[in-house]
Amino acid sequence: MLVVLLALLLAVAGAVVVAYEMTGIPEPHPETAMQSTVFVDSHGEYLGRRGPVDRRQVPLSQVPRHVQEAVIAAENRSFRTDNGIAPTAIARAALAALTGGARQGGSTITQQYVKNALLTPEQSLSRKAREALIAVKLDRTRSKDEILEGYLNTVYFGRGAAGIQAAARNYFGVDAKELTVSQGAALAGIVNIPSYYEKAGSDPEVTATLVERWEWALDAMADSGAVTAAQRSAARFPAFRFYPPGDTDGQRQYLIDVASAEAADRLGISQDELARGGYTVRTTFDLAAQNAAAELVEDAGPSPRDRQLHAAVVALVPGDGAVRVLYGGADYARQPFNDALDGAVEAGTALGPFAVTKLGAPLTDLARSAAPTPMELASAWATVADRGTYAEPYTVAKITRGGRTVHRTEPRTRTAMEPFAGEAIAKQLYSEGVDAPVVAGAGATGSHTGGAGTRTRWETTYDGRLAVTVALFAQHPAQGKRPPRTAQLPAGAFGLAFRVNWEVRSRLAPGAWKAPSPVAGPTSGVR
């Protein structure tokens, strides 16, 4: 048995040696590093892009030593002394692949450079083995400075920045050679999850998380002697430029955020891999209708100084789930929180009609929810419009790469109401004399009134082609340590809800509005 075991070990060692000798170091493929993913609306109109659209090569001599050490501290502290691989990380990845566990990371800087610039992000044992062999050979044939220079010029930092020079410009508006200790440590922290940390400076939660990672990197630099105790003590978290820059600010970034997350999930890859993968994502959005809704909200004028008016608009295709409009805020750079998806809006009378029928999953808890999201309520009305069939909302219609379709979304539906629940709900609306705009199907309004007056306004129209929900609410802005508080809606909010609903419907499902029969709903509201 010992002889057999020894022979087996020698055979494995020999195979590794042969594989090592036969493995060459591929040439870098800058075209892969430069590919970005493009998002278009349902008609093919350009929405924006994610990925390294900006990459400028710089020699390592133009990257301050403290920035180099910050990246090493955050990504691979043994970089200066290791042989290019991390055996324990490779063992974890192999075990996870064999047992079906979660994908493992922990690669060295050399391995990351090989994967990003020389190979592909494919998750397989053979690719991981080749990555390790090339990393070892690269470490034996190139200097550490050469490897680090290649890594810093190809690694993705988010915000469309591939490489340290583009990252310095996109995050801080400076060249790489001008980065301070604090700025370098912040960029080093971002490399770990760039699609998340790229929102630092505009999203308080993301910023707070990055601050912790920034401090962790600086502490490691102080421990290794990369910075002095005085430099560590003087370091302050840097100010970031507003995100996103360029032509994806304002409205479109809300749409790209949602579609990017969904596309990555459908492909089974990370958002970072999606961003640099060269995909074209055709979304379900209608950019013309989206812009029309945004313009109406903007034209309503500024909110009173003591209040901020929030609007959310969702337009869904009943029986299909395609999201045509998703208005979640006026400007992503100043409010990355999406009110349409995540805003819990007091419903008040808007939920009353659903009390007359039994709701199935996933609408079971809707009638008991005091503050649903606009997407949840829009989905419920779309279910009514399709005679009880709930369609899961989606924003990605098709994904292509290199002219080949790699994903096409099919509607996911299930029964969530009795087939005649729509008629019962419409009768309930009519009996209550709800003041609502009406289409060929029906319409409904709702509101929540507190001690200070009306605080929310809901307005929905629906038929077999489209369900449109508009939600308005107001807040007193945060002051000092006091968080935002609900406020009374300003004058004109009621008319705004009607105009937005009318404009979206007229663009997506044109046709004369008409007074319905008692079964279809109320007759008043066109004012």
Side-chain angles (χ1 to χ4, degrees):
M1 290 179 63
L2 289 174
V3 171
V4 172
L5 181 60
L6 180 59
L8 181 62
L9 290 175
L10 288 173
V12 171
V16 170
V17 171
V18 171
Y20 175 83
E21 293 298 330
M22 294 180 63
T23 298
I25 299 176
E27 289 297 319
H29 45 82
E31 71 283 357
T32 299
M34 286 300 293
Q35 286 190 86
S36 59
T37 287
V38 174
F39 295 82
V40 299
D41 80 346
S42 57
H43 304 292
E45 292 294 323
Y46 177 80
L47 281 176
R49 63 174 64 238
R50 282 279 173 88
V53 297
D54 185 8
R55 176 176 175 267
R56 282 162 282 180
Q57 190 96 3
V58 292
L60 193 63
S61 59
Q62 291 187 19
V63 181
R65 183 74 178 191
H66 57 255
V67 176
Q68 300 175 35
E69 295 300 327
V71 173
I72 291 172
E75 290 296 303
N76 178 198
R77 296 182 185 180
S78 65
F79 171 73
R80 299 286 185 191
T81 57
D82 65 34
N83 63 359
I85 61 172
T88 55
I90 294 175
R92 284 199 309 269
L95 181 62
L98 291 172
T99 60
R103 291 182 296 183
Q104 299 293 309
S107 299
T108 65
I109 281 177
T110 308
Q111 287 176 269
Q112 290 182 55
Y113 172 63
V114 170
K115 181 180 72 172
N116 294 338
L118 309 181
L119 296 177
T120 69
E122 173 192 0
Q123 295 290 331
S124 68
L125 283 175
S126 61
R127 206 277 302 150
K128 194 71 177 175
R130 187 163 181 244
E131 172 190 298
L133 289 172
I134 295 174
V136 172
K137 181 165 286 190
L138 196 68
D139 189 77
R140 292 172 64 89
T141 58
R142 309 277 176 85
S143 70
K144 290 292 186 181
D145 280 354
E146 287 180 286
I147 295 171
L148 185 60
E149 178 178 305
Y151 175 80
L152 289 174
N153 277 303
T154 55
V155 67
Y156 183 54
F157 285 89
R159 295 197 182 188
I164 189 69
Q165 172 66 8
R169 298 298 305 175
N170 286 5
Y171 282 93
F172 302 115
V174 300
D175 289 325
K177 62 184 178 182
E178 299 169 335
L179 288 168
T180 66
V181 169
S182 292
Q183 291 170 337
L187 290 179
I190 287 170
V191 171
N192 179 243
I193 318 177
S195 63
Y196 176 74
Y197 289 124
E198 66 185 0
K199 301 173 187 175
S202 60
D203 186 318
E205 182 179 345
V206 173
T207 304
T209 306
L210 182 58
V211 167
E212 294 179 2
R213 188 164 175 82
W214 170 80
E215 291 179 336
W216 171 78
L218 282 174
D219 289 340
M221 293 172 68
D223 291 342
S224 67
V227 295
T228 65
Q231 287 176 309
R232 173 64 185 96
S233 178
R236 297 293 181 269
F237 191 72
F240 284 70
R241 297 177 68 189
F242 266 125
Y243 174 78
D247 59 3
T248 55
D249 56 1
Q251 264 303 295
R252 298 187 184 192
Q253 193 63 32
Y254 293 104
L255 308 182
I256 295 173
D257 260 12
V258 176
S260 176
E262 183 177 322
D265 181 66
R266 293 187 182 278
L267 293 177
I269 61 178
S270 70
Q271 289 194 57
D272 298 324
E273 290 169 327
L274 177 79
R276 57 178 181 260
Y279 298 93
T280 296
V281 179
R282 182 176 286 267
T283 69
T284 60
F285 304 122
D286 186 293
L287 189 55
Q290 179 82 21
N291 289 341
E295 288 170 8
L296 280 173
V297 175
E298 183 179 348
D299 290 345
S303 302
R305 294 183 63 181
D306 64 332
R307 281 169 291 177
Q308 293 176 339
L309 176 64
H310 290 255
V313 185
V314 179
L316 292 171
V317 178
D320 181 278
V323 180
R324 298 298 186 213
V325 172
L326 187 68
Y327 179 92
D331 188 354
Y332 185 95
R334 289 166 176 78
Q335 182 200 305
F337 184 84
N338 192 319
D339 286 326
L341 289 179
D342 305 312
V345 185
E346 294 173 307
T349 59
L351 289 176
F354 294 99
V356 302
T357 186
K358 182 179 180 180
L359 302 176
L363 303 178
T364 310
D365 297 329
L366 181 66
R368 296 191 294 271
S369 173
T373 68
M375 177 61 81
E376 288 171 341
L377 197 58
S379 298
W381 283 112
T383 303
V384 173
D386 201 56
R387 299 178 62 81
T389 299
Y390 172 87
E392 180 180 315
Y394 66 94
T395 65
V396 174
K398 184 174 70 172
I399 306 172
T400 59
R401 189 184 195 189
R404 183 174 63 90
T405 299
V406 296
H407 172 80
R408 190 184 299 274
T409 302
E410 297 295 335
R412 299 175 183 174
T413 61
R414 63 185 301 172
T415 300
M417 293 180 189
E418 293 295 329
F420 297 102
E423 283 81 350
I425 288 174
K427 287 179 180 178
Q428 177 74 10
L429 292 172
Y430 183 77
S431 67
E432 293 177 355
V434 176
D435 181 27
V438 177
V439 294
T445 60
S447 61
H448 180 87
T449 303
T454 303
R455 298 199 300 222
T456 65
R457 175 70 172 181
W458 292 83
E459 190 156 316
T460 293
T461 63
Y462 66 92
D463 61 12
R465 297 178 297 169
L466 192 70
V468 184
T469 291
V470 179
L472 302 176
F473 66 98
Q475 287 183 324
H476 293 296
Q479 293 182 343
K481 295 183 178 180
R482 188 172 65 181
R485 297 169 294 119
T486 56
Q488 182 180 354
L489 282 171
F494 292 75
L496 175 62
F498 169 80
R499 291 192 301 274
V500 172
N501 203 306
W502 165 270
E503 183 65 27
V504 171
R505 174 164 291 281
S506 65
R507 288 177 178 271
L508 296 176
W513 288 32
K514 64 180 182 180
S517 65
V519 172
T523 59
S524 61
V526 181
R527 52 195 183 277

